[in-house]
Amino acid sequence: MGYVDKLSTNKVTDKNGRRSGYSYDYLCKLAAYTGWTYEYVEDSWPNLLQMLIDGEIDMLSDVSYTEERSENMLFPHLPMGEEDYYIFISPDNKDYIPDDYSYFDGKKVGANKGSLQEKMFQDWEKSNNIESELFEATCSEDESFEMVRKGELDAF
């Protein structure tokens, strides 16, 4: 029987506190074919990515392919899924006007440190002549969303 030393998924649990979700189901199916067992590690996504790069964990779900990352880690030939990316703003924010990108000028916008979304936002900023203050988040996404709700970040 094979063994993966340490692995992480974005933790999603059901109403009984058991792991669930697409990544978890995918890895269970993978284990059924390979005989692997997993030891789960929990931390924020940016910290987990660094742990993967440093060899402290063996696998991490939800890592988007980039040329730079492919120099430090292996990616499967087929993707596990696709993602869409959004900018989240507090529903209490009455200043934002949809499609008026100038709203983001001078605003504090968070993105996970080292993530593809961080780079994509920076490219989007440049293409739309926007200059915001980028906050590189190292906390959980829930904590980042709470920062938006509290007004500590204008968007995430």
Side-chain angles (χ1 to χ4, degrees), residues 123-136:
D123 292 345
W124 178 82
E125 263 187 319
K126 287 178 187 168
S127 68
N128 288 286
N129 298 314
I130 295 166
E131 292 185 32
S132 68
E133 177 187 346
L134 181 63
F135 172 78
E136 295 182 311

Side-chain angles (χ1 to χ4, degrees), residues 66-140:
T66 66
E67 287 290 327
E68 181 182 32
R69 287 179 180 166
S70 71
E71 295 173 11
N72 297 312
M73 59 191 78
L74 299 174
F75 287 85
H77 295 287
L78 297 173
M80 124 180 217
E82 293 182 17
E83 289 186 323
D84 292 315
Y85 304 110
Y86 301 94
I87 298 173
F88 295 93
I89 298 169
S90 172
D92 299 330
N93 184 330
K94 304 300 181 209
D95 297 329
Y96 175 70
I97 300 170
D99 297 325
D100 181 4
Y101 302 150
S102 68
Y103 165 81
F104 295 98
D105 268 328
K107 300 293 189 205
K108 189 172 184 178
V109 179
N112 285 328
K113 182 178 181 178
S115 68
L116 180 62
Q117 295 86 350
E118 178 182 28
K119 172 76 169 102
M120 291 173 71
F121 180 76
Q122 290 170 326
D123 292 345
W124 178 82
E125 263 187 319
K126 287 178 187 168
S127 68
N128 288 286
N129 298 314
I130 295 166
E131 292 185 32
S132 68
E133 177 187 346
L134 181 63
F135 172 78
E136 295 182 311
T138 58
C139 54
S140 71

